[in-house]
Amino acid sequence: MGSSEFTISKATFWALVAASLCLTILVGLLCGLLPNKNVECTSDSAPQNPGTNEPTSPTPAVPTTEPQIWENIRLPTNLKPHHYDLYFRVDISGEEFRGKSTVLVECLEPIDTILIHSKDLEIDMASIELTGQGGGSAPGISGNPMLYEENQYLVIPLDGMLKAGTTYLLTIEFSAELNAEPLTGLYRSSYTTEDGGSRTIASTFFAPTDARKAFPCFDEPAYKANFTLTVENEPGYFALANMPLDGENETLSDEWVRSKFMMSVPMSTYLLCFVVCDFVKVEKETKGGVQFRVWARPEASHSLTSALDWGADIIDYFEDYFQIDFPLPKMDMIAIPDFAAGAMENWGLITYRESALLYTDGVSSPSNKQRVCTVVSHELAHQWFGNLVTLQWWDDVWLNEGFASFVEYLGVEHVEPTWGMNDQFVVRDLQPVMNTDALQTSRPIIVDVETPDDINQQFDPISYNKGASILRMLQNFLGQSTFRKGVNSYLKRFAYGNAVNTDLWNELTKAAVEDGQDVDVAQVMDTWTLQMGFPAVNVTRTYGGGNVDFTATQERFLSNPDSEEQSTYPDPGFGYRWYVPMTYTTKSDANFDGNNTEWLDPGPDTYIRWVFGGSDADWLIVNIRQFGYYRVNYDDDNWLLISQQLEANNKVFPESSRAAFLSDAFNLARGGELSMVTAFELTSYLTKERDYVPWVAVDSNLGYVDLMLSRSKAYGNFQSYMLNQVTPFFDFIGWEGQSNAHLESLSHSLAVNLACQYGNEDCINNATLEFAAWMADSSTNMINPTLRSTVYCTAVSAGGQDEWNFAYEQYQATLDASESSTLLTSLGCSSQVWVLNTFLEISLDPTKVRTQDAVNAVGYVARNPVGYSLAWDFFRANWDVYRATYGDSIFQFSSLVDSVTAHFNTEFELQMLEDFMADHPDQGTASRAFVQAVDSTKANIRWVDSYLEEVATWLDDSVSTTT
């Protein structure tokens, strides 16, 4: 395809033959004359077939003893792309595409080989052409270009050197299949229409290293360029891209449609995007004059308004926050039916998984509503932090993702100020990542990466959640105005360019100095980004002096202190000590809104503080609202004072602080730094807790205890204890709920879920009755969207084959993305082994469960105690399928490993895991997840060995007392 014919004369033919013979004789002579080094002499100059010029398959690279330029995983810095002129003809019906790329490159240093990334493309080798810009001279192509698959390079040898300071045009034609799997590069996605038919679209997902699967390119983030894009598609479709159309669409002689788009601003290849679809839109104009549109399949047209309104308001907010106008004339957001991630921040055309963009009032849950708003805010934050200023290399993924994960809360807080996002941050981002970061097998935020698998594994909770958490801590000790000033300066200085983390630190330090602060941001933050983990700050009071006197020391916190220290990453020399910003308050002088920060330095000295005016009866709180990324342990007396205050009036403490007490206590106990009894005694106040955020912390931290006890004799008492603590919360909220306010709705959902989970009979009866009513009349679903996830799961768990079949039929029938997700989750709740096995089997059939959701399906079974071993066995039996489908994915493969091993807490399970890893060394993007699974399993074994009997005794005493 795409080749051009040529002819040669007979004289030329015989001249080529003679030259080839001479070359062969010369090689033979050299082999005879040169010293014998046990090197096999071969000639790789076999003549091409002179009678054809068909596209040739890439020639495999021949191993040599000398390192070759293409053996380096990173592109050489000799060339710099300035502009891509891209043409694509996307044949959705034929499931293929072809295209042509003409890239304008500048030579910075002389070189005689061009390396450009290419993966899974059929390159028309005869089409490769290099010319000087404006018709100037250029070296010719020497020999056969080849594909070096190990580093995903198309290697183009030249017969001369490119000249520094000269620009050239490199033209390449290519083609490929338009595949449905994996969901990367340029791929096809399908959806079901209202009449039961099927429609297919085409979409791209290039981050971080898959633009090379759609066209040959310099596929590293530092190689920014302008893009001019032309797309041709069959009738019945239209194209969208990063930029608006450049004029009207053109209908070709074959009825296909050609769309040409305006030239883009300079951007990295991973941000290029286009979609060929038949979708519908809603639109409005932002206050700043940006055309804002939200797209989806026609069946979801009623689910677009919320994202449109939130998105337009948030983009206005970020223009003001960053003090930089959105640099493009339009912003499109589009819901793709098949999508590997949650969303992708392509500049001017953000692509989303449907459940992350579509919200249907009366069908979608409050948690889905919050997720849509949060993801929209996250992706719009990227338009500045990530797109306008882009990381230099993928070792700084956290600069993109950590910042967007932090700023997303500011955007949501702006458009929905009653949602309490500042408190929710603690339980949504900070506390979950601390569980990962407390392992010996965690990683620093900034680590060296090279291969695509290395890069993909950077998109993990450390980059997102920990990155966001330390930025939140940084803003708190600098102050909001100073932080914002430094960020704005950073964005303006590096606009349309690339940056590294030290560039941000320098701008923030300048802002701090201007505002009269004596702080070296890089010195502080290096201790948080260059070494893994975080500290536990040990606070010890001195009683009897009439004041609140205390000392503070720090040490690295580990959930398993018996684990072996890792040497995977270079030692930055900090000795696992940090610059810790300490905030504190006391009962006599309670202030949870102040920003007075004092420093616990990484040196060996102990911090000593005298707080005058208090008494021994005063509680002391360090790390107000858990702004700091560290845990706090107190002496036993102060823990008791906190517990007493929670019992007397827990509202004295902010929700985030109450959540922090619970998280710190149970994790410190898990690490052996606090009595498990002390942690459990803290939960006695929960019968009086009525707020959402602390209960999320309960669900998370006691959820771990639940997991460890689920197969033990102590589980019955644990369930009874939790039922006793949860029931007052459930009774207070009620089955019908108290109001439609967002936080109250979230509390309503959580209270009902916990009550049904721990056996509240009223809850279970209500759930099964409402589900039975829906089964009786499937045309009308009267179940409150707030409660659907619990009702569906509870009814399927309590029921049998009929309930599961009904849920599956509804899953197949629904056209609503959030309802589909809720129903899919419920299918993993069955208590019947054979039903769960059926679910696992169909999860690998893409006609029954979308490829994007198959990993989640296994995870839903894996968190069901009945399905623990089923999910693990199924994962092992189908390893080859999962490795082939998800092994190069950003999130899905590691998530799968996490889910099927989460319950492991025996030596037998540890041995199974290690044996499996030994038998399957090619673990793709799950290699770190496997190592952490081993570490987590060892930590779980330690918990069971160290605390099971202690917890069982405490639960026995507690349950005996309450009954």
Side-chain angles (χ1 to χ4, degrees):
M1 295 173 61
S3 61
S4 57
E5 296 184 2
F6 75 101
T7 60
I8 61 173
S9 66
K10 290 183 178 179
T12 303
F13 171 79
W14 289 113
L16 287 171
V17 172
S20 177
L21 289 171
C22 290
L23 180 58
T24 302
I25 293 170
L26 177 59
V27 169
L29 288 172
L30 288 174
C31 287
L33 294 173
L34 290 174
N36 184 1
K37 296 292 186 178
N38 295 320
V39 177
E40 181 182 357
C41 284
T42 60
S43 172
D44 59 0
S45 59
Q48 300 179 17
N49 184 347
T52 64
N53 188 29
E54 296 178 357
T56 57
S57 298
T59 304
V62 179
T64 65
T65 55
E66 293 293 328
Q68 299 293 330
I69 187 174
W70 52 82
E71 293 178 316
N72 191 330
I73 191 73
R74 296 289 300 276
L75 285 168
T77 57
N78 303 66
L79 300 178
K80 176 179 174 60
H82 288 285
H83 178 262
Y84 291 84
D85 190 350
L86 296 173
Y87 160 81
F88 287 91
R89 186 173 176 90
V90 182
D91 187 352
I92 292 176
S93 298
E95 299 181 357
E96 64 180 4
F97 67 91
R98 61 182 173 88
K100 179 179 179 180
S101 169
T102 301
V103 56
L104 176 67
V105 295
E106 177 187 0
C107 179
L108 304 179
E109 297 178 13
I111 192 171
D112 62 359
T113 303
I114 296 176
L115 300 185
I116 191 166
H117 286 111
S118 177
K119 182 182 180 184
D120 298 338
L121 294 174
E122 183 73 21
I123 303 296
D124 181 355
M125 295 298 175
S127 74
I128 300 175
E129 182 181 12
L130 184 70
T131 59
Q133 186 183 19
S137 62
I141 310 300
S142 174
N144 290 332
M146 67 181 184
L147 185 66
Y148 185 66
E149 294 184 357
E150 182 175 346
N151 289 334
Q152 301 173 2
Y153 285 141
L154 173 61
V155 181
I156 306 173
L158 306 176
D159 62 10
M161 301 292 287
L162 298 178
K163 296 179 180 179
T166 305
T167 53
Y168 302 88
L169 290 170
L170 174 65
T171 300
I172 306 172
E173 295 182 16
F174 53 90
S175 61
E177 294 182 5
L178 186 64
N179 292 316
E181 296 177 4
L183 306 177
T184 54
L186 173 57
Y187 67 95
R188 71 179 194 271
S189 172
S190 62
Y191 67 91
T192 302
T193 62
E194 285 185 336
D195 61 5
S198 179
R199 289 284 285 172
T200 302
I201 69 166
S203 181
T204 63
F205 190 104
F206 290 162
T209 61
D210 285 319
R212 65 193 68 175
K213 295 175 71 173
F215 64 102
C217 56
F218 298 91
D219 202 12
E220 293 184 6
Y223 289 89
K224 287 192 169 185
N226 302 95
F227 293 82
T228 301
L229 178 66
T230 300
V231 178
E232 292 179 0
N233 55 262
E234 59 204 271
Y237 294 93
F238 59 89
L240 298 170
N242 304 81
M243 299 297 291
L245 284 168
D246 187 4
E248 297 295 323
N249 285 336
E250 177 185 357
T251 301
L252 306 177
S253 59
D254 58 0
E255 301 301 318
W256 280 48
V257 179
R258 176 182 292 159
S259 305
K260 185 174 182 180
F261 297 91
M262 294 179 181
M263 185 174 71
S264 76
V265 296
M267 63 184 187
S268 304
T269 49
Y270 79 91
L271 294 172
L272 181 69
C273 180
F274 63 93
V275 178
V276 177
C277 65
D278 58 350
F279 285 3
V280 297
K281 70 178 186 300
V282 294
E283 62 182 312
K284 68 193 306 183
E285 188 173 285
T286 70
K287 293 178 181 177
V290 177
Q291 181 189 29
F292 202 98
R293 305 181 296 189
V294 184
W295 301 80
R297 53 189 166 83
E299 293 75 13
S301 60
H302 58 288
S303 304
L304 300 174
T305 305
S306 293
L308 177 72
D309 292 339
W310 285 325
D313 288 348
I314 288 171
I315 208 169
D316 285 330
Y317 170 75
F318 283 149
E319 283 188 325
D320 177 68
Y321 183 87
F322 295 125
Q323 290 295 290
I324 298 173
D325 291 341
F326 181 69
L328 305 184
K330 65 91 177 174
M331 168 53 70
D332 286 319
M333 305 196 303
I334 186 168
I336 307 298
D338 298 283
F339 201 75
M344 178 56 212
E345 66 268 18
N346 316 296
W347 213 348
L349 178 56
I350 304 174
T351 46
Y352 292 81
R353 180 180 288 235
E354 286 193 334
S355 59
L357 185 66
L358 307 180
Y359 172 76
T360 310
D361 194 28
V363 177
S364 304
S365 68
S367 59
N368 176 248
K369 182 178 184 179
Q370 181 169 304
R371 180 172 187 245
V372 170
C373 188
T374 300
V375 175
V376 167
S377 184
H378 180 102
E379 302 308 321
L380 290 175
H382 271 310
Q383 304 303 299
W384 286 266
F385 227 102
N387 297 6
L388 182 64
V389 180
T390 308
L391 47 82
Q392 181 75 20
W393 179 242
W394 297 110
D395 53 356
D396 269 325
V397 163
W398 85 278
L399 263 185
N400 281 15
E401 299 303 344
F403 195 89
S405 297
F406 169 58
V407 175
E408 72 185 37
Y409 282 83
L410 305 184
V412 177
E413 184 78 15
H414 172 74
V415 294
E416 298 290 352
T418 64
W419 286 10
M421 296 304 293
N422 290 330
D423 281 330
Q424 286 201 53
F425 182 96
V426 168
V427 291
R428 296 296 181 192
D429 276 70
L430 185 145
Q431 291 179 3
V433 75
M434 292 181 103
N435 295 331
T436 299
D437 209 20
L439 297 172
Q440 282 279 18
T441 51
S442 183
R443 68 168 180 87
I445 285 180
I446 300 172
V447 297
D448 292 335
V449 293
E450 291 189 341
T451 69
D453 281 353
D454 292 340
I455 293 166
N456 285 338
Q457 291 182 91
Q458 289 294 95
F459 292 82
D460 67 355
I462 297 298
S463 289
Y464 285 77
N465 303 44
K466 184 176 181 178
S469 298
I470 66 168
L471 288 169
R472 175 175 175 263
M473 176 176 68
L474 174 60
Q475 178 190 258
N476 190 60
F477 72 71
L478 286 180
Q480 292 185 18
S481 61
T482 299
F483 179 81
R484 183 175 174 183
K485 179 195 293 186
V487 166
N488 294 350
S489 176
Y490 166 83
L491 289 174
K492 290 173 182 176
R493 179 173 180 181
F494 296 98
Y496 302 104
N498 300 84
V500 296
N501 70 95
T502 52
D503 296 321
L504 177 60
W505 300 155
N506 290 339
E507 297 304 315
L508 287 166
T509 298
K510 291 177 185 176
V513 171
E514 289 174 5
D515 291 349
Q517 300 184 46
D518 182 18
V519 59
D520 183 334
V521 174
Q523 183 181 32
V524 172
M525 299 308 292
D526 280 353
T527 64
W528 296 96
T529 59
L530 301 182
Q531 61 182 349
M532 69 180 82
F534 57 88
V537 173
N538 298 303
V539 175
T540 305
R541 292 178 56 180
T542 301
Y543 298 92
N547 297 308
V548 181
D549 304 342
F550 69 94
T551 61
T553 59
Q554 63 167 298
E555 61 181 347
R556 182 186 181 187
F557 176 76
L558 291 169
S559 57
N560 180 11
D562 298 336
S563 56
E564 296 180 7
E565 186 169 350
Q566 302 293 308
S567 57
T568 307
Y569 305 103
D571 181 4
F574 300 124
Y576 291 112
R577 299 182 71 84
W578 292 262
Y579 282 97
V580 182
M582 287 180 40
T583 55
Y584 59 87
T585 190
T586 64
K587 180 178 181 179
S588 296
D589 188 24
N591 179 6
F592 290 96
D593 298 314
N595 190 37
N596 295 323
T597 301
E598 300 192 30
W599 292 93
L600 181 59
D601 293 339
D605 295 338
T606 298
Y607 176 89
I608 303 174
R609 181 68 183 179
W610 296 268
V611 182
F612 298 102
S615 71
D616 289 351
D618 281 9
W619 43 257
L620 166 70
I621 304 301
V622 173
N623 198 13
I624 297 171
R625 296 183 184 271
Q626 209 167 16
F627 274 109
Y629 185 72
Y630 55 92
R631 298 205 179 279
V632 181
N633 196 6
Y634 303 98
D635 58 81
D636 289 344
D637 288 341
N638 198 70
W639 274 117
L640 179 60
L641 291 169
I642 292 172
S643 183
Q644 290 171 344
Q645 180 64 73
L646 289 170
E647 288 279 4
N649 179 12
N650 64 70
K651 293 283 190 179
V652 167
F653 302 124
E655 288 186 49
S656 52
S657 289
R658 275 133 62 194
F661 298 149
L662 292 163
S663 178
D664 283 350
F666 275 94
N667 281 279
L668 288 163
R670 183 178 172 184
E673 298 186 24
L674 183 68
S675 164
M676 194 65 72
V677 170
T678 300
F680 269 96
E681 291 289 353
L682 201 66
T683 66
S684 62
Y685 98 96
L686 289 176
T687 55
K688 302 174 184 178
E689 180 60 79
R690 302 291 180 266
D691 290 322
Y692 175 67
V693 169
W695 275 108
V696 176
V698 171
D699 190 27
S700 172
N701 291 282
L702 286 168
Y704 174 77
V705 177
D706 185 304
L707 189 65
M708 293 300 99
L709 297 180
S710 60
R711 295 177 289 176
S712 77
K713 63 182 180 181
Y715 190 73
N717 280 341
F718 177 75
Q719 190 173 35
S720 297
Y721 177 74
M722 289 302 297
L723 178 61
N724 184 70
Q725 303 308 100
V726 167
T727 295
F729 182 40
F730 171 67
D731 291 341
F732 173 77
I733 299 290
W735 180 262
E736 300 296 333
Q738 293 187 333
S739 77
N740 291 325
H742 182 69
L743 273 177
E744 283 74 11
S745 294
L746 291 176
S747 291
H748 184 199
S749 176
L750 183 56
V752 170
N753 180 65
L754 290 172
C756 282
Q757 176 184 338
Y758 288 111
N760 183 285
E761 293 184 2
D762 289 341
C763 183
I764 294 172
N765 289 337
N766 284 331
T768 53
L769 286 173
E770 291 199 2
F771 194 81
W774 186 28
M775 289 180 67
D777 181 9
S778 61
S779 64
T780 305
N781 186 349
M782 300 299 294
I783 301 170
N784 186 338
T786 301
L787 305 182
R788 285 186 181 180
S789 61
T790 297
V791 169
Y792 296 174
C793 185
T794 302
V796 169
S797 177
Q801 186 78 51
D802 290 344
E803 285 76 11
W804 191 91
N805 285 344
F806 178 78
Y808 176 67
E809 290 166 2
Q810 296 304 309
Y811 167 72
Q812 290 290 308
T814 186
L815 297 178
D816 185 88
S818 62
E819 181 73 350
S820 174
S821 178
T822 303
L823 285 162
L824 183 69
T825 305
S826 74
L827 297 177
C829 296
S830 176
S831 299
Q832 311 298 327
V833 171
W834 64 89
V835 172
L836 293 178
N837 270 327
T838 299
F839 183 35
L840 289 170
E841 291 292 344
I842 68 171
S843 72
L844 289 182
D845 183 346
T847 66
K848 295 180 172 65
V849 175
R850 289 185 181 273
T851 301
Q852 68 173 16
D853 298 322
V855 165
N856 293 337
V858 179
Y860 300 146
V861 175
R863 70 189 189 191
N864 179 347
V866 179
Y868 285 170
S869 61
L870 300 178
W872 168 246
D873 290 344
F874 190 80
F875 168 73
R876 289 191 297 173
N878 293 279
W879 166 260
D880 291 341
V881 176
Y882 290 121
R883 177 64 183 88
T885 306
Y886 305 102
D888 299 327
S889 65
I890 297 178
F891 305 106
Q892 292 170 301
F893 206 32
S894 59
S895 173
L896 179 60
V897 173
D898 291 343
S899 64
V900 298
T901 61
H903 67 280
F904 284 3
N905 62 6
T906 67
E907 292 289 349
F908 176 74
E909 288 164 331
L910 174 62
Q911 190 62 54
M912 276 199 307
L913 175 58
E914 291 180 331
D915 289 346
F916 182 83
M917 292 170 61
D919 292 340
H920 301 85
D922 179 17
Q923 296 158 7
T925 55
S927 60
R928 185 183 297 145
F930 270 111
V931 171
Q932 291 185 339
V934 170
D935 201 3
S936 295
T937 300
K938 291 178 179 178
N940 294 345
I941 292 170
R942 178 184 175 276
W943 193 97
V944 171
D945 290 344
S946 302
Y947 307 122
L948 177 58
E949 291 303 322
E950 181 184 7
V951 170
T953 300
W954 186 90
L955 287 170
D956 190 51
D957 293 343
S958 177
V959 171
S960 298
T961 301
T962 56
T963 56

